[in-house]
Amino acid sequence: MMKRVKIKEIFSNPKLNTTYVVKGWIRTHRSIKDVHFLSLNDGSTINNLQIVINEKEFSKDLIRNLTTGAAVGIEGLLVESIGKEQSVELLAKRIEIYGLCDSKEYPLQKKGHSLEFLRTIAHLRLRTNTFGAIMRIRHTVSFAIHFFFNQKGFYYMHTPIITASDCEGAGQMFRVTTLDLKNIPYTKDGEVDFSQDFFGKETKLTVSGQLEGELGALALGEIYTFGPTFRAENSNTPRHLAEFWMIEPEMAFYDINDNMDLAEEFIKFIIKYTLDNNYDDLKFLNDKYDNELISRLYNVLSTNFERITYTKAIEILLNSNEKFEFPVFWGTDLQTEHERFIVEKYFNKPVFITDYPKEIKPFYMKLNDDGKTVRAVDLIFPKIGEIIGGSQREDDYNKLLQRIKEMNIPMKDVWWYLETRKFGSVPHSGFGLGLERLLLFITGMSNIRDVIPFPRTPKNAEF
Ligand code: ATP
Ligand code: MN
């Protein structure tokens, strides 16, 4: 056969009366008298190419094997279609079957499987329209992230996945060890003897690349990380994964307002880029799952995100007539119900909340002059909740040292971080954006397990 052409390419520039070779998987096969119609998908687009087969030109055996799910190559002539559903179709001249598909066993025969069921067949769900669309969008978003930062002169920095410090304070961590669990070495005091472990010390999977990212920003100016992060919290919610991908820009000479400006520009860029490049996929998801999806995306592009302080947020909550499950008072961490009220009912748009009480935030956030609040910023999105957590970082050596002592953080874990405040410290800021949280918003899906190919959650690491 000739060289394969992707179906997306044919649709974007169809040359009639030209011979093409396409290769992909059969979605459906129907027939009218002695004419057979396949809809073929090759993953390049959500749109299927219709293949028209004249029964007389092929063997009965071959035609019988053209079942849903089978992998085939077709050489044929592209012609205008008489049917209303498609503009062009391919008249098959040669057919090659790469892989048969047993229709009695293939689980994707019928349409309308639930998302729950599809999670149990994650090895095959990628072949559905829904997951094809989501994965193509996930690719576009990932590409757009690199594109955005590259064009702004940020450097992509690879921070370690295995870490010896557990002071990031972002959550429970997974242990990394080569010790024999059936024969653990102990010290005289009865503690596990990590000096015999692979790294000679206790190691974990990272929950964030931020601390190392800051080291990069204090040398290269503006950097970003984009990699997997791990949290062993037992939070079985539709918004938490044990393994997720995080984007963490870190910028020298940025204050908290510059940080918010960047976050807003960044998110709008990604959404616009996805609308420009994956409209077909978004339209499919819009029509199937969430009729307001596309209008919601356009709304975000045209709105200025709200910016309020934590203290103002508490005031809004106290003055509302809502009945909340968790009590509202200055000093408490905002619960999801509080954030949703502010974002969905009060402002009805994305909201940055800044200047949280220092007690509920990590040690590295810059202390405000009031001595009570820190220059933290969370970005809360409608329907999703927190999508970004960030801050201006404490750049004052003595203040940072004091916070480290107050919070009993072992100096052996953070001495190198603290040293950067001694050698040419500068005001700097950064934030962390969860890729899958952003994808929930962009795809309109409601469970985070459906925007990553193979989700890792408590009691689930299949595939
Ligand atoms: P949450 O309060 O929602 O659990 P967090 O405050 O622990 O999040 P951060 O430590 O600020 O989150 O992490 C930065 C970003 O990473 C979050 O804003 C969110 O987008 C994402 N994120 C955090 N935890 C998870 C998780 N378990 N699964 C997926 N994304 C996450
Ligand atoms: Mn957070």
Side-chain angles (χ1 to χ4, degrees):
M1 278 197 186
M2 299 154 38
K3 197 168 175 289
R4 171 196 182 203
V5 176
K6 300 247 180 109
I7 290 174
K8 182 181 183 176
E9 204 179 304
I10 294 181
F11 282 137
S12 70
N13 181 22
K15 296 196 185 95
L16 294 180
N17 301 314
T18 303
T19 301
Y20 285 103
V21 171
V22 290
K23 297 181 179 181
W25 295 266
I26 298 171
R27 283 292 172 81
T28 59
H29 177 171
R30 58 194 175 82
S31 58
I32 301 172
K33 293 189 191 146
D34 52 3
V35 183
H36 294 252
F37 301 91
L38 308 180
S39 58
L40 192 75
N41 189 282
D42 68 357
S44 63
T45 158
I46 191 137
N47 301 308
N48 302 325
L49 180 63
Q50 172 150 288
I51 312 290
V52 183
I53 299 167
N54 187 338
E55 198 176 79
K56 291 186 208 102
E57 293 173 25
F58 299 91
S59 79
K60 286 225 159 52
D61 270 357
L62 183 130
I63 290 193
R64 205 177 305 119
N65 283 330
L66 298 174
T67 57
T68 297
V72 295
I74 315 269
E75 185 176 303
L77 197 68
L78 194 72
V79 297
E80 218 170 306
S81 176
I82 329 160
K84 287 190 206 82
E85 307 208 340
Q86 61 281 317
S87 55
V88 294
E89 59 196 19
L90 199 69
L91 301 181
K93 297 285 167 240
R94 285 175 63 189
I95 299 176
E96 189 171 336
I97 298 185
Y98 293 108
L100 300 173
C101 186
D102 186 338
S103 38
K104 280 191 225 70
E105 281 182 53
Y106 190 52
L108 294 177
Q109 286 287 345
K110 292 191 281 301
K111 289 196 172 167
H113 290 303
S114 71
L115 293 168
E116 287 79 8
F117 171 72
L118 290 174
R119 270 173 230 144
T120 69
I121 52 164
H123 59 309
L124 295 171
R125 71 174 179 169
L126 302 172
R127 297 194 195 180
T128 62
N129 281 332
T130 295
F131 285 91
I134 293 169
M135 292 308 138
R136 280 186 295 271
I137 291 170
R138 190 179 163 106
H139 162 81
T140 296
V141 167
S142 302
F143 178 78
I145 287 164
H146 288 298
F147 190 79
F148 175 83
F149 285 121
N150 182 59
Q151 134 215 291
K152 286 189 95 67
F154 283 55
Y155 297 106
Y156 179 29
M157 182 163 157
H158 297 112
T159 50
I161 287 172
I162 299 175
T163 174
S165 79
D166 59 0
C167 60
E168 283 131 344
Q172 292 293 104
M173 300 175 87
F174 289 99
R175 187 179 293 293
V176 175
T177 182
T178 54
L179 291 178
D180 179 0
L181 293 183
K182 289 195 205 99
N183 187 14
I184 299 171
Y186 290 98
T187 62
K188 281 198 229 75
D189 311 330
E191 303 282 340
V192 174
D193 184 4
F194 286 109
S195 72
Q196 297 189 42
D197 204 348
F198 188 88
F199 295 103
K201 53 165 72 170
E202 194 175 358
T203 48
K204 311 271 179 71
L205 290 180
T206 187
V207 293
S208 157
Q210 178 202 322
L211 299 188
E212 292 94 346
E214 283 186 49
L215 310 183
L218 293 174
L220 297 160
E222 293 163 330
I223 65 95
Y224 68 105
T225 73
F226 183 4
T229 48
F230 307 86
R231 306 216 176 157
E233 302 144 305
N234 207 346
S235 37
N236 232 324
T237 80
R239 301 182 306 124
H240 288 90
L241 291 163
E243 176 182 292
F244 65 98
W245 287 67
M246 185 139 69
I247 300 99
E248 297 182 277
E250 203 61 47
M251 300 76 64
F253 312 108
Y254 273 52
D255 69 12
I256 188 173
N257 294 312
D258 303 325
N259 205 15
M260 286 188 273
D261 291 345
L262 179 76
E264 186 166 342
E265 185 191 346
F266 173 55
I267 289 193
K268 286 178 175 170
F269 178 90
I270 304 297
I271 292 176
K272 170 97 179 18
Y273 194 91
T274 310
L275 280 163
D276 288 348
N277 288 278
N278 289 64
Y279 194 84
D280 287 355
D281 293 320
L282 290 170
K283 182 83 174 70
F284 172 83
L285 296 172
N286 182 90
D287 295 351
K288 178 151 187 186
Y289 296 101
D290 180 352
N291 283 314
E292 285 161 17
L293 174 62
I294 289 183
S295 65
R296 202 159 51 237
L297 295 177
Y298 277 115
N299 275 338
V300 167
L301 292 186
S302 60
T303 179
N304 291 322
F305 296 4
E306 197 64 40
R307 300 180 183 196
I308 62 169
T309 63
Y310 166 90
T311 303
K312 173 78 183 169
I314 293 291
E315 204 180 292
I316 290 170
L317 293 169
L318 288 173
N319 290 335
S320 76
N321 290 319
E322 287 284 310
K323 291 230 167 10
F324 295 113
E325 190 188 335
F326 292 90
V328 176
F329 56 93
W330 200 97
T332 185
D333 207 355
L334 297 179
Q335 302 294 326
T336 305
E337 53 169 352
H338 304 142
E339 295 176 341
R340 293 194 75 141
F341 175 82
I342 289 169
V343 167
E344 288 165 20
K345 297 214 179 128
Y346 195 86
F347 288 113
N348 195 26
K349 57 160 134 168
V351 181
F352 286 109
I353 305 179
T354 63
D355 303 286
Y356 285 74
K358 65 175 180 186
E359 284 77 17
I360 57 174
K361 289 293 178 185
F363 75 97
Y364 50 72
M365 296 190 176
K366 187 168 180 61
L367 193 63
N368 279 314
D369 292 339
D370 62 12
K372 292 192 303 187
T373 58
V374 288
R375 250 165 245 181
V377 50
D378 281 2
L379 175 59
I380 318 296
F381 251 62
K383 294 196 76 168
I384 313 298
E386 183 191 321
I387 194 163
I388 278 181
S391 68
Q392 184 169 340
R393 317 306 189 189
E394 183 59 80
D395 55 323
D396 181 286
Y397 181 87
N398 290 314
K399 287 187 186 153
L400 185 60
L401 180 63
Q402 194 187 331
R403 288 298 287 152
I404 288 171
K405 285 183 180 158
E406 275 170 18
M407 295 173 80
N408 292 319
I409 297 167
M411 200 48 73
K412 69 166 177 41
D413 285 349
V414 288
W415 64 270
W416 45 271
Y417 182 76
L418 186 61
E419 255 192 16
T420 57
R421 274 58 172 176
K422 204 158 69 179
F423 305 134
S425 186
V426 298
H428 63 286
S429 300
F431 61 82
L433 168 78
L435 175 68
E436 289 79 13
R437 295 264 175 99
L438 178 61
L439 283 171
L440 281 177
F441 185 76
I442 294 181
T443 61
M445 290 288 109
S446 45
N447 194 312
I448 201 161
R449 293 165 180 76
D450 297 331
V451 294
I452 189 166
F454 307 106
R456 299 291 179 251
T457 50
K459 298 279 178 287
N460 171 38
E462 184 90 47
F463 309 106

